[in-house]
Amino acid sequence: MPKLPKLPAPPLPAALQEPPPRPGESNGKGGPIEDAKAAGINVVDWVDERTSLSGAGRWLMFRKVPKGTNWFYTLGSATMFAFLSQAVTGVFLAMYYRPDPAGGAYESIRHVTNEVFLGQFVRGMHKWGSSVMVILVFLHMGRTFLFGAYKYPRELNWVIGVVLLILTMVMSFTGYLLPFDQRAYWATIVGVNINGTGPLIGPYLSDFLRAGPEFGATTLSRFYAIHMLLLPGAIVALIGAHLYLVAKLGTTAPPWMKAEQNPELRKVDV
Amino acid sequence: MNQREKEEYLREYGILKAQGKPFFPYAVAKDGAMAVVVMAIIITMSLVLGAELGPKANPTTTTYVPRPEWYFFFLFEVLRVIKPPSLVPLATIGVPTIGMILLFLLPFFDRGPERRPERRPIAMVTFVTVFGAMAFLTYQGANAGSPFAVEKPTPPAVKQAGGATLAEYELGKAVVTSSGCLACHKLGENGNSGPGPDLTHIASRLPAQGIARTLVNPTAPMPSFKNLPAQRFNAVVAFLSQLK
Ligand code: HEM
């Protein structure tokens, strides 16, 4: 293509020309559509100017995952989504639940199940979601074990993972009592008594869980507080730490992957 | 892993990572697809299986067989299989605690540089054994009753008689299992050895009428079972009078 001649400069002297808009400003020429397009960018810019979060976002989202990353690597985030689903459905259940062993607890669950719009559906999601989450945690743990992902430098992430596993199981144990039907009550009594047979701290642990030597009025509210405040908080914090380490260290490549030697790199230029 | 192996690993990993794809959008797309699948499974389970609510908790009944959530079945099963009281703490707390500690420490005792499963025979054998054992115990626990279940082989005479006799025997066994008798009585390998007497060979001590009389009009603390429906009551008596 032949070189085109340059257009002549505009007739105005430079000093009189309107300067192009600076980032975050509009010269009013784009019209409302351009302004609307720019609005999102402006908001992000505004926040970023004050927080410098965009670097963290880039670091998190545009890091590379190694060659060979496959579907098994989705099990961790799938666990996280199951947990989020539990959190959301749990909030809705908490709007109706009353931790009152004298009948209020059972009655409030009966009300949710039978009368509240979509109540049984949400309760079912919470109930079966717990099973799904437990299965996913175990699958994810199996994956990291088989791939040797707990080895250097990811030992700490494995340890955090084991704590998450225990917390998930305790979540399920404390949640099981809350509907306060026969099954919940007797299974929990047996569970607490099993704890009590443990060495050293066993009796103290079961006294703590029961809020006293007998299964009484405060037991239920104690289980409820542990189930919906203490443990979810701890789990959220630990998932944060877990994911920070994942992003910091990178996920493992599948163990059978070998780095190809790029022949280009071996060429010696003389 | 010694220092050289660590550095080798990091170098190799660095190359593999450089050859990989950016997390966004490639990994995010897979994770998102998986999240949709997970949500679809949860929603389907909720719609199909619903959320039942059993009868209201009643601390005064002893007639309920506690069942934990299925993923605790394996623990329950351990408790059921291990009977001697001195071993129970070991079974219920000891085994899980030791398991958990080993799990915590895994990265600190398994420090070899090898990551390929086929070259880590000890790790793989352990993996298969542990998961296999847990799956087996869960399956057993799912099919067995509570730790209070009665495990006595059906006497051959009853088996031969078959029909109504066998059915009544089995019903009686089920009622005894679910009525909390074993909280106070020992029956074969199962149950507690007090405050009630051992029922393993009750029939050689007490005729059927005597058993029926005890059930209707027992000495405290044994509760009276005269309110059981007649069919179930007779089944209990029939079952107990086979325990020679
Ligand atoms: C609430 C439970 C958990 C959540 C939400 C979670 C989440 C995640 C996510 C999103 C990843 C990124 C890569 C992947 O998906 O594989 C990951 C990696 C990892 N997780 Fe978990 N995890 C949980 C429990 C566990 C448990 C129980 C263990 C093992 C005891 C564990 C050990 C690891 C390890 C070692 C990695 C690094 C894997 C690699 O670099 O290839 N996590 N986790």
Side-chain angles (χ1 to χ4, degrees):
Chain A
M1 196 161 135
K3 233 179 172 191
L4 292 170
K6 261 191 160 179
L7 286 173
L12 279 176
L16 294 180
Q17 275 176 33
E18 200 185 334
R22 296 173 63 83
E25 289 171 2
S26 155
N27 59 6
K29 284 194 182 148
I33 295 187
E34 282 302 311
D35 283 355
K37 274 188 194 158
I41 300 176
N42 290 341
V43 169
V44 172
D45 277 350
W46 190 93
V47 173
D48 194 40
E49 199 179 334
R50 285 155 185 80
T51 59
S52 308
L53 272 180
S54 68
R58 260 200 305 279
W59 174 74
L60 189 67
M61 298 312 273
F62 296 108
R63 71 195 152 96
K64 282 195 166 176
V65 292
K67 207 166 86 172
T69 297
N70 53 34
W71 284 97
F72 292 111
Y73 288 77
T74 61
L75 289 169
S77 66
T79 315
M80 189 176 69
F81 281 112
F83 174 72
L84 290 180
S85 162
Q86 292 301 90
V88 172
T89 49
V91 166
F92 284 105
L93 292 177
M95 290 174 184
Y96 295 93
Y97 184 70
R98 272 179 292 140
D100 163 21
Y106 182 82
E107 178 50 33
S108 64
I109 294 284
R110 196 199 54 71
H111 175 65
V112 168
T113 313
N114 297 342
E115 282 144 31
V116 174
F117 175 64
L118 286 184
Q120 185 172 31
F121 175 62
V122 171
R123 195 177 150 230
M125 277 183 74
H126 199 73
K127 179 181 159 77
W128 296 108
S130 78
S131 289
V132 170
M133 181 170 168
V134 168
I135 293 178
L136 286 172
V137 170
F138 273 100
L139 290 179
H140 171 60
M141 184 170 84
R143 192 295 272 169
T144 52
F145 181 85
L146 288 179
F147 283 26
Y150 54 88
K151 300 195 172 197
Y152 175 84
R154 300 185 182 78
E155 297 95 332
L156 188 56
N157 221 11
W158 171 269
V159 171
I160 296 177
V162 177
V163 181
L164 279 170
L165 173 73
I166 295 174
L167 291 184
T168 309
M169 298 304 264
V170 180
M171 268 308 250
S172 135
F173 177 68
T174 50
Y176 204 61
L177 175 67
L178 301 180
F180 224 65
D181 56 5
Q182 282 280 61
R183 162 194 283 264
Y185 182 80
W186 288 105
T188 308
I189 295 240
V190 170
V192 171
N193 289 344
I194 288 179
N195 274 317
T197 61
L200 301 181
I201 58 161
Y204 299 100
L205 187 62
S206 52
D207 274 3
F208 169 74
L209 286 173
R210 278 191 299 248
E214 285 300 317
F215 209 90
T218 31
T219 312
L220 186 58
S221 45
R222 183 161 293 201
F223 268 60
Y224 185 46
I226 295 177
H227 183 78
M228 58 84 87
L229 285 171
L230 183 63
L231 292 184
I235 290 182
V236 166
L238 285 172
I239 290 183
H242 201 69
L243 293 189
Y244 167 74
L245 283 181
V246 165
K248 168 96 180 37
L249 302 169
T251 46
T252 48
W256 53 85
M257 271 321 224
K258 281 274 156 270
E260 285 163 27
Q261 292 298 343
N262 185 345
E264 292 290 311
L265 293 178
R266 294 189 163 253
K267 254 190 241 159
V268 188
D269 286 330
V270 196
Chain B
M1 275 174 117
N2 56 32
Q3 195 58 33
R4 187 181 56 80
E5 286 161 339
K6 286 182 181 172
E7 276 167 23
E8 246 170 37
Y9 174 75
L10 290 181
R11 185 161 3 98
E12 173 94 3
Y13 179 68
I15 298 174
L16 281 170
K17 189 165 172 179
Q19 290 170 343
K21 291 180 176 165
F23 178 70
F24 178 87
Y26 295 96
V28 169
K30 273 187 188 162
D31 286 350
M34 193 65 178
V36 172
V37 172
V38 169
M39 287 313 293
I41 290 175
I42 295 180
I43 289 175
T44 316
M45 287 179 87
S46 172
L47 289 176
V48 174
L49 300 169
E52 105 261 15
L53 182 64
K56 191 164 157 182
N58 181 355
T60 59
T61 47
T62 44
T63 58
Y64 198 78
V65 188
R67 306 281 291 160
E69 189 71 299
W70 66 265
Y71 33 79
F72 289 120
F73 278 174
F74 72 97
L75 265 184
F76 226 55
E77 181 65 14
V78 172
L79 177 63
R80 219 172 58 82
V81 173
I82 299 186
K83 296 260 167 50
S86 57
L87 287 182
V88 165
L90 178 75
T92 53
I93 297 287
V95 172
T97 310
I98 294 169
M100 278 300 154
I101 292 176
L102 289 182
L103 206 58
F104 262 116
L105 295 182
L106 171 67
F108 305 102
F109 55 78
D110 177 13
R111 293 195 301 202
E114 188 56 64
R115 283 161 208 256
R116 303 182 62 154
E118 69 272 26
R119 298 200 191 139
R120 291 155 58 211
I122 301 178
M124 289 311 118
V125 169
T126 318
F127 179 83
V128 171
T129 317
V130 170
F131 263 67
M134 282 181 65
F136 177 72
L137 287 175
T138 302
Y139 174 78
Q140 292 276 306
N143 290 318
S146 77
F148 293 144
V150 177
E151 293 155 353
K152 261 185 93 68
T154 311
V158 176
K159 260 202 195 124
Q160 257 157 31
T165 318
L166 183 61
E168 187 166 47
Y169 178 89
E170 290 297 338
L171 176 65
K173 186 163 154 184
V175 176
V176 167
T177 307
S178 61
S179 301
C181 314
L182 297 192
C184 303
H185 291 285
K186 198 159 185 61
L187 216 172
E189 296 264 279
N190 313 84
N192 296 327
S193 35
D198 191 332
L199 293 183
T200 314
H201 304 293
I202 178 68
S204 56
R205 232 180 316 130
L206 208 61
Q209 301 96 310
I211 294 175
R213 217 173 305 128
T214 314
L215 287 175
V216 172
N217 195 5
T219 332
M222 175 161 160
S224 168
F225 288 90
K226 65 167 179 284
N227 291 334
L228 280 180
Q231 189 205 0
R232 310 188 117 222
F233 185 91
N234 294 336
V236 171
V237 175
F239 168 68
L240 290 178
S241 50
Q242 290 294 339
L243 302 177
K244 296 236 164 68

